[in-house]
Amino acid sequence: MKRDFIEVNEKIKAGKAVVMTAEEAAELVASDGVKAAAKKIDVVTTGTFGPMCSSGAVLNFGHSEPPIRMGKITLNDVECYGGLAAVDTYVGATQPSNDKGMQYGGAHVIEDLIAGKSVKLRASSYGTDCYPRKEIETQIGLEDMNQAMLFNPRNAYQNYSAATNSTERTLYTYMGTLLPNKRNVTYSTSGALSPLLKDPELRATGIGTRIFLGGAQGYVAFEGTQTVFNHHELESGGDWYGGVTLAVVGDMKRMSAQYIRAAVFEGYGCSMFVGIGIPYPVLDEDFLAQLAKPDEELFTRVFDYSVPSRSRPALRLVSYAELRSGEIELDGKRARTAPLSSLRIAREIASELKEQVQKGEFLLSEPVQYFERGKVNKPLNIK
Amino acid sequence: MQTIKASLYFPIDMTDKPFITDLVRDYGLTVNVLQAEILPGRPGKSVIDLTGSEEDLEKGLIYLSEHGISVHMFTTSIIHNADNCVDCGACVAVCTSGALQIKAPDWKLSFDPKECVRCKQCVKACPTRAINVNVFQ
Ligand code: SF4
Ligand code: SF4
């Protein structure tokens, strides 16, 4: 049994494609076996909704009269990048505001804009012959802008490590609040629904892949920053994959604040919940076997976040089913586990995507280029 | 009948007295111990819910203070605003009392005010600021 993108898209256009979420596919494979299920299912949808710090937006404000080459730019007092041409900028999700600090940051500006609110734009310049204006202050909303593209250089981590803390004091991290003495463990990947964990070899994901991004149709622009292909065969017989990320782009004007939400991690800073989903064609039985893997067969590692080094030791391997149980054993003691990404919204995304594919509103796109393999993640060595 | 929530602080020599039994037997109160940090030879702390008639509650509280146990009534409550909540679970990580839970089948956050010991850890831990402290009058 084999399928390709063209064939699957023909079926979608004819309204005949059989589409299931990854969780539904897992159930069908468990009951009917992978052979029968692969004959039946054409498309499997995935979803995730978690904090993804490396996110931001490219905005174009249009030209004022007289025009300005904006140098120092703020939106609701959040500093934006002023090193692009005249009225383009980039606002990063983690940038804290000048007045409210980390309680309001770039992610909040992005969420406010997507929610239809206007924000205060302030910009200044040294003035040039071609751009004489030196200052500007106005209110601006998405509808006033020419382009507003969410452009996130590192999203949808294939498999994020779980976090714990071995010290005597509480740690405030981007993995949430970590209680002393390894009393809790937080994890962020949506397990059986997680896009790249279901396509671990990236057989159907690459540059140009159409994705669900923040409620709109977006695209994979490039391999995400820090992408590496990691694969270990486990002694228990399973596999551990991790390391791939996606750089994604999409039209903010079509997004919904339901799927893009600002986040504040106390003591760490701002981040942004980003909703991403990828529909996968069932290329063959092997691929369906991957797409349908349940939480019991998907693993991550637990790291001690109190080790102030980039090479922290892994404490143990754990399955997503164990993490989902609410408690795991760590060094002989029980630790409470809690997610940081929303399974409820991840499911909504996978279901929404399923519906759009069924209705023919969302076609799959074959990557125009697959990611380069064999790269290693380079550390920053201080010379 | 009403329920009040309070922290009790025991001096060192009081930690082994069966005060809970007394409250139940002699004052007709229902006691629900939500948290207890009581070690022999050390001052102790516990968080309890007391249920009874206004009169019995008053008598019970007098009994406690007569025995050197200081009582701090809770004057705040924790409010979970479901409209702002994305059901991520970050607050569950810090809620050691089990008042906040997120689990199968729907993975929606549930909050049981009865189990809450007002530690306020969740307020800071919530990335969308969906948990607030409400101060009683
Ligand atoms: S204040 Fe919050 S964290 Fe503390 S017990 Fe209550 S609900 Fe749980
Ligand atoms: S941390 Fe906040 S948003 Fe997340 S589940 Fe708890 S209340 Fe909801």
Side-chain angles (χ1 to χ4, degrees):
Chain A
M1 201 285 313
K2 287 209 183 309
R3 274 188 199 85
D4 59 22
F5 278 87
I6 300 170
E7 212 179 311
V8 171
N9 276 335
E10 289 309 322
K11 272 195 154 177
I12 295 172
K13 283 185 213 156
K16 289 192 180 136
V18 176
V19 191
M20 287 190 188
T21 69
E23 286 184 320
E24 292 164 350
E27 277 176 35
L28 189 74
V29 167
S31 65
D32 294 15
V34 71
K35 250 197 158 97
K39 274 203 196 108
K40 196 168 167 197
I41 319 171
D42 300 300
V43 179
V44 171
T45 63
T46 58
T48 183
F49 184 81
M52 306 187 193
C53 300
S54 199
S55 300
V58 176
L59 308 173
N60 177 283
F61 301 122
H63 286 289
S64 59
E65 179 60 35
I68 178 171
R69 203 219 73 85
M70 298 181 181
K72 279 198 158 34
I73 309 168
T74 62
L75 288 170
N76 279 355
D77 221 10
V78 174
E79 200 176 313
C80 306
Y81 187 62
L84 298 170
V87 291
D88 283 334
T89 194
Y90 186 81
V91 53
T94 65
Q95 182 72 41
S97 61
N98 295 326
D99 57 345
K100 300 191 190 80
M102 68 168 75
Q103 299 306 322
Y104 186 97
H108 297 83
V109 171
I110 293 169
E111 181 189 317
D112 280 350
L113 286 170
I114 291 175
K117 294 183 193 158
S118 71
V119 296
K120 182 170 286 291
L121 162 67
R122 276 206 190 103
S124 62
S125 164
Y126 41 78
T128 69
D129 289 344
C130 40
Y131 292 110
R133 184 192 281 272
K134 289 189 172 160
E135 260 174 26
I136 192 164
E137 183 175 329
T138 183
Q139 286 290 126
I140 191 162
L142 274 190
E143 70 282 4
D144 305 313
M145 298 180 194
N146 290 311
Q147 281 77 25
M149 56 182 121
L150 199 69
F151 189 97
N152 306 341
R154 179 157 33 98
N155 274 186
Y157 245 105
Q158 186 167 34
N159 194 1
Y160 217 83
S161 302
T164 192
N165 162 26
S166 68
T167 64
E168 296 280 305
R169 67 181 184 94
T170 300
L171 295 184
Y172 298 94
T173 74
Y174 63 81
M175 287 300 284
T177 308
L178 300 174
L179 299 175
N181 304 317
K182 300 185 214 151
R183 277 185 20 236
N184 65 359
V185 172
T186 57
Y187 61 99
S188 193
T189 302
S190 64
L193 275 176
S194 181
L196 298 183
L197 207 47
K198 302 325 280 283
D199 181 10
E201 299 283 353
L202 276 84
R203 291 185 57 192
T205 321
I207 297 172
T209 298
R210 187 178 293 117
I211 61 171
F212 174 105
L213 178 61
Q217 293 189 9
Y219 298 89
V220 173
F222 205 69
E223 63 183 38
T225 51
Q226 293 177 22
T227 286
V228 281
F229 285 82
N230 279 331
H231 173 213
H232 297 291
E233 282 173 18
L234 305 173
E235 281 167 27
S236 57
D239 295 275
W240 172 88
Y241 287 95
V244 180
T245 74
L246 301 177
V248 299
V249 62
D251 185 356
M252 269 169 74
K253 297 190 184 201
R254 295 172 188 271
M255 290 182 189
S256 145
Q258 202 184 334
Y259 298 117
I260 297 285
R261 288 289 297 273
V264 179
F265 286 97
E266 196 68 29
Y268 164 76
C270 293
S271 183
M272 196 161 82
F273 281 103
V274 181
I276 292 183
I278 306 183
Y280 289 110
V282 177
L283 298 172
D284 51 34
E285 284 155 15
D286 281 352
F287 196 36
L288 181 63
Q290 292 287 0
L291 292 168
K293 274 198 177 171
D295 280 339
E296 286 76 11
E297 292 169 37
L298 298 164
F299 302 90
T300 189
R301 293 177 298 181
V302 183
F303 283 89
D304 182 356
Y305 270 54
S306 65
V307 178
S309 160
R310 69 184 177 211
S311 47
R312 302 176 169 124
L315 297 178
R316 64 163 283 190
L317 191 78
V318 64
S319 77
Y320 281 95
E322 289 172 276
L323 288 169
R324 289 265 172 231
S325 75
E327 210 175 71
I328 61 165
E329 209 184 280
L330 217 48
D331 295 337
K333 281 196 292 187
R334 291 180 313 171
R336 116 190 322 258
T337 58
L340 295 176
S341 75
S342 174
L343 183 56
R344 198 254 301 163
I345 301 182
R347 280 181 177 158
E348 270 174 36
I349 290 170
S351 303
E352 166 95 37
L353 199 47
K354 170 181 161 180
E355 212 168 288
Q356 288 178 12
V357 175
Q358 277 171 337
K359 284 193 199 145
E361 294 165 2
F362 198 113
L363 293 176
L364 311 193
S365 59
E366 188 163 4
V368 292
Q369 171 135 4
Y370 290 91
F371 296 169
E372 207 180 302
R373 281 165 182 270
K375 286 188 184 172
V376 287
N377 221 335
K378 293 181 197 152
L380 175 61
N381 293 319
I382 303 163
K383 292 174 190 159
Chain B
M1 293 290 251
Q2 63 184 77
T3 300
I4 55 170
K5 193 174 281 238
S7 292
L8 308 182
Y9 295 89
F10 308 95
I12 293 177
D13 55 349
M14 275 299 298
T15 50
D16 49 3
K17 277 219 105 193
F19 73 96
I20 287 182
T21 324
D22 293 354
L23 287 175
V24 175
R25 194 188 52 213
D26 301 343
Y27 298 89
L29 299 174
T30 310
V31 185
N32 184 16
V33 181
L34 298 164
Q35 224 177 37
E37 292 163 33
I38 297 173
L39 292 169
R42 301 245 305 257
K45 185 198 160 187
S46 112
V47 179
I48 59 167
D49 268 343
L50 283 176
T51 308
S53 70
E54 206 169 315
E55 208 188 322
D56 290 340
L57 282 170
E58 208 176 308
K59 283 186 192 153
L61 292 174
I62 291 171
Y63 159 81
L64 289 174
S65 52
E66 277 174 358
H67 285 80
I69 296 167
S70 60
V71 180
H72 289 247
M73 306 276 279
F74 281 112
T75 53
T76 56
S77 67
I78 296 294
I79 308 285
H80 171 238
N81 178 353
D83 287 346
N84 271 345
C85 175
V86 296
D87 296 306
C88 63
C91 55
V92 175
V94 296
C95 184
T96 48
S97 79
L100 293 164
Q101 307 236 2
I102 193 159
K103 52 187 178 201
D106 62 356
W107 292 91
K108 274 189 161 181
L109 185 77
S110 70
F111 172 51
D112 183 355
K114 288 201 296 297
E115 298 293 323
C116 172
V117 297
R118 316 292 208 272
C119 68
K120 303 195 192 88
Q121 288 266 29
C122 55
V123 177
K124 278 185 172 184
C126 171
T128 65
R129 299 293 182 251
I131 302 179
N132 297 298
V133 181
N134 188 29
V135 180
F136 295 147
Q137 291 308 317

